[in-house]
């Protein structure tokens, strides 16, 4: 479905073609994060949770040493032991406490299988909407778009969305973004946000979206 806010010269195909070309050649932290964290659904879920309030390079470094690829390996790990594995991610003590509860929660509620529905996923300690969407999209290809501060900021500057919060932007994008682009939306926008379209410093002159971006709020 075409977003009514977009003009004829500013469409989804053109937007994502430009984003894809830029993503393939840039050196954004999100690319390192994805390369390290995607070995198994559990690792995708863990890395998504750890990445909250943490930069992607730090999360990628932690996931390099994580080494836990299935639920059975989580069994019996104390919060203290997990703290040592995930330091120095942001709020690592609280996140370690959450992770220490996952095995029991999943055994009791999902017969020992990782959840594949959003409501179930969000019942896990420490897992919110953004984390659930990122996990379900990347692990299972489900049509959920993960909206972090980069996605929120860039969509507003492009004039695609008007929400005042990432949560509002997520609702808008879920209604207007064609399904064929959902799986790549987060990585593409995040890469652009980490390198060229930053919160306080933009590089519009060399941005791949320069011809189609109205630069709202810039």
């Amino acid at each position: 479905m075409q977003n009514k806010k977009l003009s004829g010269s500013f469409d989804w195909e053109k937007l994502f073609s430009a984003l894809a070309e830029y993503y393939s050649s840039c050196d954004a932290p999100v690319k390192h994060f994805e390369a390290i964290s995607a070995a198994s659904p559990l690792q995708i879920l863990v890395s998504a949770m750890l990445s909250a309030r943490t930069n992607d390079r730090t999360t990628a470094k932690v996931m390099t040493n994580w080494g836990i690829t299935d639920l059975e390996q989580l069994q019996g790990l104390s919060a203290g032991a997990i703290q040592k594995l995930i330091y120095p991610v942001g709020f690592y003590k609280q996140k370690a406490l959450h992770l220490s509860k996952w095995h029991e929660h999943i055994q009791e509620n999902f017969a020992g299988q990782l959840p594949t529905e959003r409501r179930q996923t969000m019942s896990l300690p420490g897992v919110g909407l953004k984390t659930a969407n990122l996990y379900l999209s990347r692990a299972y290809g489900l049509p959920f778009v993960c909206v972090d501060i980069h996605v929120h900021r860039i969509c507003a500057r492009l004039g695609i969305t008007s929400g005042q919060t990432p949560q509002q932007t997520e609702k808008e994008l879920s209604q207007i973004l064609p399904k064929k682009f959902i799986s790549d939306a987060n990585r593409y926008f995040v890469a652009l946000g980490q390198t060229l379209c930053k919160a306080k410093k933009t590089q519009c002159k060399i941005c791949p979206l320069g011809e189609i971006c109205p630069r709202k709020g810039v």
Side-chain angles (χ1 to χ4, degrees):
M1 178 177 66
Q2 181 69 25
N3 180 2
K4 294 181 180 179
K5 295 181 180 180
L6 302 183
S7 68
S9 61
F10 184 2
D11 57 38
W12 295 113
E13 293 288 348
K14 187 172 184 178
L15 172 63
F16 274 84
S17 176
L19 287 171
E21 184 175 354
Y22 178 72
Y23 185 85
S24 67
S25 61
C26 74
D27 186 33
V30 68
K31 295 178 72 173
H32 301 278
F33 164 72
E34 289 204 342
I36 293 298
S37 65
S40 71
L42 177 63
Q43 285 186 294
I44 293 173
L45 181 55
V46 170
S47 64
M49 194 267 272
L50 295 182
S51 69
R53 307 291 290 275
T54 304
N55 69 67
D56 283 340
R57 291 193 187 278
T58 297
T59 307
K61 183 177 180 180
V62 166
M63 291 305 298
T64 300
N65 300 318
W66 173 247
I68 296 174
T69 59
D70 61 64
L71 283 171
E72 294 307 311
Q73 292 174 288
L74 269 181
Q75 186 176 13
L77 277 182
S78 67
I82 296 174
Q83 283 183 30
K84 295 178 181 178
L85 291 174
I86 67 174
Y87 179 82
V89 301
F91 301 94
Y92 72 96
K93 292 182 179 180
Q94 186 63 42
K95 290 175 181 177
L97 182 61
H98 291 323
L99 284 168
S100 70
K101 299 176 181 179
W102 279 15
H103 183 271
E104 182 178 358
H105 182 91
I106 292 171
Q107 289 293 335
E108 291 182 353
N109 295 281
F110 312 127
Q113 301 298 312
L114 282 173
T116 56
E117 296 180 4
R118 187 158 63 177
R119 182 177 296 180
Q120 292 177 342
T121 304
M122 291 176 65
S123 75
L124 288 169
V127 175
L129 177 63
K130 185 181 75 171
T131 295
N133 281 355
L134 187 63
Y135 157 68
L136 293 170
S137 174
R138 291 183 180 169
Y140 303 109
L142 297 178
F144 296 119
V145 58
C146 172
V147 176
D148 64 5
I149 194 63
H150 296 292
V151 181
H152 172 62
R153 178 176 67 249
I154 295 172
C155 285
R157 287 175 174 173
L158 286 166
I160 294 173
T161 57
S162 58
Q164 299 301 303
T165 66
Q167 291 77 18
Q168 292 172 347
T169 297
E170 190 271 341
K171 290 182 179 179
E172 289 185 55
L173 279 180
S174 67
Q175 295 174 352
I176 63 177
L177 185 62
K179 289 185 178 180
K180 64 185 290 186
F181 299 122
I182 287 178
S183 63
D184 290 321
N186 178 267
R187 59 171 63 92
Y188 287 175
F189 284 126
V190 169
L192 189 68
Q194 290 176 336
T195 55
L196 299 181
C197 195
K198 298 182 179 181
K200 296 183 179 180
K201 183 179 180 181
T202 60
Q203 299 184 57
C204 297
K205 291 183 179 180
I206 60 173
C207 178
L209 307 183
E211 294 183 0
I212 58 178
C213 180
R215 305 181 188 181
K216 291 193 173 184
V218 177

